[in-house]
Amino acid sequence: RAPIVKRALWPVIQQHIGVVMLNFATGFVEGSVGGGGGFNSARFVSQCMATLGIFYALLFVLIGGGILLNRLAQTSVAVDAVLAMIPMIGRLRRSLALSRFCAAYEMQLAAGVNVMDSVSAAGRASQSARVRAEVARIVPGMMAGESLGTLVVGRAVFPAAFQRSVRTGEATGTLDADLRRWAEYYQKSAIDALEAAGAWLSRLVTLAILVYLGYKIVTTYGTVMNATYKPLLDSQ
């Protein structure tokens, strides 16, 4: 979260400065156009509050919606699948889920917990409905005597390289060390995805600010032009 907050902080500060400066200019323009001269303070305050109010309302909806969807994705396979298709967000969630799964599974094995309980605990720890659903299908096969390496084959939620590693680790007795390496690998992948998301969020915020600034400049210029030329056109 830290990279996202750091990258988005300065564009947000710029947005607040831009809102105040442009509406300050608008207050002078509308004060002059209105015929009273000076600065239209009431218009300035109302415009700033309205613009920033919309910004914070959208921010609240995005953050609240993100938290809600993330919680639903822990129990709903459909929601988890939809989030997986979102660029960067899907990669981030998948990497975090697999990192949790591998870390929890390795810790359970190191603690001497039986394999079936270890896999079940790792599925819950993943916080991914799709991983938990696949684990729920795998456990009955393990109870029947099949190995995890055999059962994960063809499971789309687990990457092919991970499937091969599990089979090899079970055959050579190095599964715990392999799981530890996979947990570190997916954790790094999640960090990289977070940094990419932070960079893109900063760019999107900056783009939104530029669009708003352009809109305010055009509308302010339109107000001046309308006040200047409309009386001349009406007189003709």
Side-chain angles (χ1 to χ4, degrees), residues 65-82:
I67 293 173
L68 177 61
L69 288 174
N70 186 58
R71 290 179 178 176
L72 288 174
Q74 298 180 26
T75 56
S76 172
V77 174
V79 175
D80 197 9
V82 170

Side-chain angles (χ1 to χ4, degrees), residues 36 39 55 71 103 109-110 116 119 128 144 155 163 176 182 199 208 232:
F39 179 68
F55 169 75
R71 290 179 178 176
L109 291 179
M116 288 171 290
V119 173
S128 167
R155 308 281 180 178
Q163 296 174 20
D176 54 345
W182 279 111
L232 296 176

Side-chain angles (χ1 to χ4, degrees), residues 83-167:
L83 292 180
M85 293 186 291
I86 301 175
M88 289 184 293
I89 299 298
R91 175 191 167 194
L92 171 62
R93 284 187 49 78
R94 184 184 189 187
S95 296
L96 286 174
L98 292 173
S99 176
R100 296 187 192 108
F101 177 86
C102 293
Y105 190 19
E106 187 273 330
M107 286 189 289
Q108 296 284 316
L109 291 179
V113 180
N114 69 73
V115 177
M116 288 171 290
D117 288 342
S118 297
V119 173
S120 298
R124 293 191 297 271
S126 71
Q127 299 182 22
S128 167
R130 293 194 304 156
V131 173
R132 295 178 66 175
E134 293 294 353
V135 167
R137 298 186 186 99
I138 288 171
V139 169
M142 297 180 69
M143 295 176 67
E146 296 185 66
S147 67
L148 177 63
T150 301
L151 293 169
V152 295
V153 174
R155 308 281 180 178
V157 73
F158 297 111
F162 177 76
Q163 296 174 20
R164 292 192 297 270
S165 179
V166 171
R167 292 199 303 273

